[in-house]
Structure formats: structure tokens, C-alpha cells
């Protein structure tokens, strides 16, 4: 009997949470963006032309970032913690929207993983890395110099670190900034989402920006 009551109580909490989520307004304010950890750039930055490769082995260009809000995380498949966790969190945020049948929102967003480890991350390895998240995820790799140029443009610094346990040239870590870069439907850099990331917060950001026209006043950074 006690177990049954606990189960019923848990179901009530879940249903109540979904109700609150479904009745939440789609619009999002500057203040809410700031609260959710979003930094809006003073001006959109025009993305340079790209010549990269998608996880499907197809060309990935600037046009590949257009028509949807793109949420881009720069990382690498050998990353021991931050990268797989962040990719999973983005996938969970998508699942939250899908659970609430907000397929119109999902159609307006594009999660992207760009590998900063061209030496070890071919498109097939990148495809496997994002394979357990969602079929909307786009993985990207390519020439090391072009990846570096795009990361620099997006303000995502990274640095290869030597391994402490082996002398192998193929075993190393990469230190990198763990922001999620936001590109608008024109394919230009809009801003960033700062960590820590939470599923509900990410889903709210996805939802709010997808339903907006992108006219936001830059939010001052708190550091």
C-alpha cells in the first residue's frame, strides 16, 4: 500500500511538472535570458565561409547553419567528462521538448557538435559520438586550420595538453572553453550559453529563441 502511494505521488509530481511546462509562455525576455546564463553579443558577428565535413561525410558550410537557431558546442570525442556530459544535456533538453510534443520548436533548432580534434576525430567517429543523443544532432569535423579559425571566430579557445600517463602522440587531452555558442537563423553568431547547464534551462532557451524574432538587447556580462 505504501509503495502504491509513493508511486501515485510520483506520478502526480511528474504530471504537475509537465502541466507547468506546457502552460509556460513561449516568449522570452532579456532578463530571463540573462538569468538562464545567456550572453547576447552587442552586435551579431558575421560568420565567415566554412568548408568542413558533417558526421554523414557531407559538406558543412555557413549555409548549414542557416534557417534554424544553431546551438554549437566545440569539443572532442576523447574528452573524459565535459563533452559527453554537455552533449547528453543538450539531448535531454531536446527530449524534454519532444515529451511535451513541441515538435514545432524542435523544427526550429539545430544542435551541433564541432570537433576540435581533427587528428583523431574523423566524421565516422564523430557520428558515433553523437549517435546516442538525437537524430537532430549534427556532428562536424574537418581541416585543423579551418576548425581553429572557426573556434577563434566564435571565441572558443582550446589548447592541446600533453598526456601525464603516456608518451604516445595519439593520447592527449585538449583544454577548451565550455560555452555553447548560439548562431541565429542567418548563420551568424548571436551569443553564448554559459555553464553550468541544466536540462530545463536549456529547453527554455531553445523554446524562447525558436519562438522569437531574435530582437534582443545585449545583456551585460556579470563576468
Amino acid at each position: 500500500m505504501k509503495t502504491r502511494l509513493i508511486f501515485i505521488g510520483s506520478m502526480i509530481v511528474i504530471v504537475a511538472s509537465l502541466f507547468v511546462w506546457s502552460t509556460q509562455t513561449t516568449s522570452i525576455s532579456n532578463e530571463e535570458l540573462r538569468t538562464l546564463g545567456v550572453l547576447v553579443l552587442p552586435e551579431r558577428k558575421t560568420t565567415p565561409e566554412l568548408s568542413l565535413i558533417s558526421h554523414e561525410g557531407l559538406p558543412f558550410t555557413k549555409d548549414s547553419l542557416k534557417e534554424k537557431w544553431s546551438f554549437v558546442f566545440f569539443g572532442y570525442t576523447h574528452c573524459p567528462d565535459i563533452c559527453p556530459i554537455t552533449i547528453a544535456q543538450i539531448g535531454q533538453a531536446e527530449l524534454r521538448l519532444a515529451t511535451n510534443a513541441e515538435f514545432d520548436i524542435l523544427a526550429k533548432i539545430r544542435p551541433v557538435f564541432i570537433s576540435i580534434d581533427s587528428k583523431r576525430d574523423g566524421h565516422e567517429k564523430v557520428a558515433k559520438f553523437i549517435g546516442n543523443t538525437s537524430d537532430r544532432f549534427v556532428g562536424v569535423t574537418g581541416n585543423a586550420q579551418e576548425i581553429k579559425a572557426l573556434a577563434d571566430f566564435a571565441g572558443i579557445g582550446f589548447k592541446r595538453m600533453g598526456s601525464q600517463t603516456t608518451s604516445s602522440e595519439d593520447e592527449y587531452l585538449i583544454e577548451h572553453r565550455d560555452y555553447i555558442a548560439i548562431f541565429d537563423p542567418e548563420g551568424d553568431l548571436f551569443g553564448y550559453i554559459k555553464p553550468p547547464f541544466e536540462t530545463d534551462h536549456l529547453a527554455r532557451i531553445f523554446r524562447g529563441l525558436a519562438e522569437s524574432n531574435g530582437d534582443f538587447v545585449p545583456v551585460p556580462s556579470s563576468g
Side-chain angles (χ1 to χ4, degrees):
M1 183 67 176
K2 184 177 180 180
T3 301
R4 183 180 179 185
L5 289 174
I6 292 174
F7 173 76
I8 293 173
S10 299
M11 290 302 296
I12 291 173
V13 171
I14 293 172
V15 171
S17 298
L18 290 175
F19 176 76
V20 170
W21 178 260
S22 65
T23 55
Q24 188 179 50
T25 59
T26 57
S27 61
I28 194 166
S29 66
N30 292 310
E31 178 60 25
E32 188 175 0
L33 283 174
R34 186 194 67 78
T35 301
L36 294 173
V38 177
L39 293 175
V40 179
L41 294 177
E43 295 182 359
R44 309 292 170 87
K45 289 182 64 177
T46 302
T47 303
E49 292 302 319
L50 309 174
S51 182
L52 302 173
I53 304 169
S54 78
H55 68 281
E56 297 177 322
L58 301 174
F60 186 92
T61 67
K62 178 177 177 178
D63 287 342
S64 303
L65 290 171
K66 293 182 177 181
E67 299 181 356
K68 300 181 180 184
W69 285 90
S70 297
F71 298 90
V72 181
F73 186 77
F74 291 78
Y76 64 114
T77 67
H78 288 75
C79 179
D81 40 41
I82 294 174
C83 302
I85 290 173
T86 301
I87 294 304
Q89 289 171 319
I90 293 173
Q92 289 164 6
E94 280 196 293
L95 180 60
R96 179 62 55 85
L97 293 169
T99 300
N100 201 45
E102 296 189 83
F103 302 112
D104 56 329
I105 303 298
L106 289 170
K108 297 176 182 178
I109 67 172
R110 176 190 297 113
V112 180
F113 168 76
I114 297 181
S115 172
I116 54 176
D117 189 8
S118 299
K119 182 177 182 179
R120 295 181 296 184
D121 288 348
H123 72 270
E124 293 180 346
K125 183 168 286 187
V126 169
K128 184 176 181 180
F129 186 69
I130 64 172
N132 294 325
T133 51
S134 80
D135 56 8
R136 298 181 184 85
F137 235 107
V138 179
V140 180
T141 186
N143 176 274
Q145 291 183 335
E146 293 201 40
I147 293 289
K148 180 66 163 57
L150 179 58
D152 287 346
F153 163 79
I156 306 295
F158 64 90
K159 179 181 179 181
R160 174 173 163 172
M161 310 294 289
S163 172
Q164 297 179 353
T165 60
T166 178
S167 60
S168 172
E169 292 186 1
D170 289 330
E171 294 186 35
Y172 52 85
L173 299 176
I174 302 178
E175 187 178 75
H176 60 96
R177 195 177 193 185
D178 55 349
Y179 283 17
I180 295 173
I182 306 172
F183 289 77
D184 67 18
E186 295 298 316
D188 295 326
L189 187 63
F190 172 82
Y192 305 92
I193 308 173
K194 299 186 299 180
F197 306 118
E198 295 183 21
T199 298
D200 286 345
H201 290 178
L202 288 175
R204 177 61 183 136
I205 294 167
F206 295 170
R207 190 188 208 205
L209 289 179
E211 290 295 277
S212 76
N213 58 11
D215 294 333
F216 292 100
V217 176
V219 179
S221 172
S222 58

